[in-house]
């Protein structure tokens, strides 16, 4: 006999049973009849999400068991069991029986993997900032939510991985010059990515008014949108003020205690980024639109063959301070 002593009592390890089982809708109903009444409230959207994964054959076996305590009461797995019923299809699960009831209190207390961690475990190393940028880059703008919310579920891991692989070299180059730090978060990095990918794939029939290459323009955007100045490039009032206008608008939102992580902020950044890519310096930026001004990000070809050796010369200039930068030229 094997025992394990805890603060809550002694666990008979030999009494615990774990087996792999293909759970049908009928079995799921039977297991749910043993659910304990103080279990957490069922989240129906999550049940629907799991059900969809089962229907699409994208639901994978997990080591997280459907668990019953020593009295036969279900203490873990109600969402997955309800998903099996909703999908009306069987799914495989590990079933654990005779666990101490206190296990229900400890369930879901661990730190769950983020999407970038899941993708990394799957074999494609990805940083959190890169993952967030990709999700906002593919976001449809006629919705109420940003891409980080819409595409954060596990069923989108494959899509995010595939798109990342198309543009991974861009992120490598950003990392080399320290542009994947925490301050370069979405939506700024998403827009930088969209600027680079579109410019890198654009036929060179007519030059942009700013005459910058794709990579330089994207990091110039990050400089201006995040910091309000650039130590790498000189600012041209005729072509470069769009990110500074966006900064003014974001400051106005913060001053009025409005959210700066919502879909309106993403629209503001995307519209400003598109104007910046073209070389326009607007006085105002309208966020009342639902169509992305950039080309469809999902369909643009890979940029991994893009050459970074021919980037335009980086101009070292004196750092602008708050009393001497082009934001002072912007008026609402």
């Amino acid at each position: 006999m094997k025992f394990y002593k805890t603060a809550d009592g002694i666990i008979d390890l030999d009494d615990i049973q774990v087996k792999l089982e293909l759970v049908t809708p009928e079995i799921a109903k039977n297991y749910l009849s043993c659910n304990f009444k103080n279990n957490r409230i069922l989240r129906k959207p999550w049940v629907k999400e799991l059900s969809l994964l089962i229907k699409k054959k994208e639901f994978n076996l997990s080591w997280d068991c459907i668990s019953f305590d020593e009295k036969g009461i279900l203490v873990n797995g109600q969402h997955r069991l309800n998903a099996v019923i909703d999908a009306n299809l069987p799914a495989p699960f590990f079933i654990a029986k005779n666990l101490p009831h206190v296990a229900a209190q400890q369930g879901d207390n661990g730190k769950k993997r983020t999407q970038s961690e899941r993708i990394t475990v799957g074999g494609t190393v990805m940083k959190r900032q890169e993952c967030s940028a990709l999700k906002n880059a593919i976001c449809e703008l006629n919705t109420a939510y940003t891409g980080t919310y819409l595409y954060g579920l596990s069923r989108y891991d494959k899509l995010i991985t595939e798109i990342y692989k198309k543009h991974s070299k861009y992120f490598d180059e950003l990392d080399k010059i320290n542009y994947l730090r925490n301050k370069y978060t979405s939506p700024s990095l998403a827009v930088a990515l969209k600027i680079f990918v579109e410019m890198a794939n654009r036929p060179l029939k007519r030059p942009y008014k700013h005459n910058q290459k794709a990579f330089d323009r994207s990091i110039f955007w990050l400089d201006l949108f995040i910091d309000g100045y650039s130590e790498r490039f000189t600012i041209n009032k005729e072509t470069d003020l769009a990110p500074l206008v966006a900064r003014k608008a974001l400051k106005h939102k913060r001053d009025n205690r409005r959210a700066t992580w919502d879909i309106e902020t993403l629209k503001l950044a995307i519209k400003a980024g598109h104007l910046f890519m073209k070389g326009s310096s607007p006085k105002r930026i309208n966020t009342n639109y639902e169509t992305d001004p950039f080309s469809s990000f999902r369909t643009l070809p890979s940029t991994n063959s893009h050459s970074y050796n021919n980037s335009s010369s980086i101009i070292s200039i004196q750092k602008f301070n708050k009393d001497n930068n082009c934001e002072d030229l912007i008026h609402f």
Side-chain angles (χ1 to χ4, degrees):
M1 300 288 288
K2 295 179 181 178
F3 297 95
Y4 180 70
K5 187 176 181 180
T6 73
D8 298 297
I10 297 175
I11 301 174
D12 184 351
L13 299 181
D14 288 329
D15 198 36
I16 295 175
Q17 304 170 14
V18 179
K19 67 174 181 177
L20 180 61
E21 183 177 331
L22 187 65
V23 176
T24 64
E26 291 73 22
I27 294 174
K29 290 177 183 178
N30 182 48
Y31 283 164
L32 283 169
S33 68
C34 302
N35 203 2
F36 75 101
K37 64 178 182 179
N38 292 326
N39 205 342
R40 59 182 176 175
I41 297 173
L42 194 71
R43 293 177 293 159
K44 293 183 180 179
W46 182 232
V47 171
K48 287 292 183 182
E49 175 64 24
L50 294 173
S51 173
L52 181 60
L53 290 175
I54 294 172
K55 290 176 181 177
K56 295 175 66 176
K57 305 298 182 183
E58 294 179 0
F59 183 85
N60 293 312
L61 178 64
S62 167
W63 53 72
D64 186 16
C65 298
I66 306 294
S67 303
F68 297 84
D69 69 8
E70 59 271 87
K71 295 182 180 180
I73 297 173
L74 177 70
V75 294
N76 185 48
Q78 63 169 342
H79 286 86
R80 285 170 288 165
L81 293 173
N82 275 282
V84 167
I85 296 170
D86 186 82
N88 197 30
L89 291 169
F93 300 101
F94 284 106
I95 309 296
K97 295 184 178 180
N98 297 323
L99 291 174
H101 187 80
V102 70
Q105 295 174 289
Q106 298 169 348
D108 293 325
N109 284 339
K111 184 178 183 296
K112 293 185 177 181
R113 286 194 177 101
T114 64
Q115 188 170 34
S116 59
E117 289 171 337
R118 292 198 306 265
I119 291 172
T120 297
V121 169
T124 301
V125 179
M126 183 182 297
K127 292 181 173 63
R128 175 182 55 81
Q129 294 97 323
E130 296 168 335
C131 188
S132 296
L134 288 163
K135 288 185 286 188
N136 275 336
I138 64 174
C139 182
E140 299 290 338
L141 301 181
N142 59 351
T143 67
Y145 303 101
T146 63
T148 52
Y149 177 86
L150 292 174
Y151 298 101
L153 299 172
S154 59
R155 63 186 167 103
Y156 294 112
D157 289 2
K158 183 178 179 181
L159 171 65
I160 301 302
T161 302
E162 290 173 349
I163 297 176
Y164 173 79
K165 288 180 177 179
K166 290 169 60 178
H167 310 296
S168 59
K169 187 177 177 182
Y170 173 71
F171 290 113
D172 291 341
E173 294 296 323
L174 283 183
D175 204 18
K176 287 180 184 178
I177 57 174
N178 207 22
Y179 273 72
L180 287 182
R181 289 174 291 163
N182 286 336
K183 71 173 182 176
Y184 299 110
T185 56
S186 290
S188 59
L189 195 57
V191 174
L193 176 63
K194 288 167 79 71
I195 289 171
F196 170 77
V197 172
E198 181 137 332
M199 287 185 65
N201 283 291
R202 182 178 183 269
L204 297 177
K205 294 180 180 179
R206 291 181 300 170
Y208 291 99
K209 291 188 291 184
H210 48 73
N211 288 321
Q212 280 189 300
K213 298 295 178 63
F215 185 70
D216 288 350
R217 195 63 177 171
S218 73
I219 60 175
F220 194 17
W221 155 265
L222 287 172
D223 287 345
L224 298 184
F225 187 79
I226 296 296
D227 297 320
Y229 61 84
S230 176
E231 293 182 321
R232 295 174 179 269
F233 310 103
T234 54
I235 299 176
N236 185 328
K237 293 185 295 182
E238 303 300 321
T239 60
D240 303 335
L241 297 189
L244 302 182
V245 174
R247 280 173 57 85
K248 287 275 189 176
L250 285 176
K251 182 179 184 302
H252 181 72
K253 290 185 71 175
R254 284 192 292 267
D255 289 346
N256 286 274
R257 298 185 178 182
R258 294 168 57 196
T260 56
W261 46 261
D262 56 359
I263 189 65
E264 183 182 334
T265 300
L266 181 60
K267 286 182 177 182
L268 172 68
I270 287 176
K271 188 63 174 288
H274 189 258
L275 292 168
F276 183 70
M277 182 187 73
K278 294 192 302 179
S280 299
S281 288
K283 292 184 178 181
R284 299 176 185 272
I285 297 175
N286 178 27
T287 60
N288 187 25
Y289 66 98
E290 295 185 345
T291 303
D292 193 335
F294 285 92
S295 301
S296 175
F297 188 80
R298 295 193 195 194
T299 61
L300 288 172
S302 171
T303 56
N304 287 336
S305 61
H306 180 78
S307 174
Y308 293 82
N309 296 327
N310 296 322
S311 295
S312 55
S313 300
I314 292 180
I315 306 170
S316 297
I317 62 171
Q318 184 178 3
K319 180 176 179 179
F320 284 98
N321 58 48
K322 292 183 179 179
D323 298 323
N324 183 28
N325 66 42
C326 287
E327 287 195 34
D328 294 327
L329 301 175
I330 303 167
H331 304 283
F332 285 94

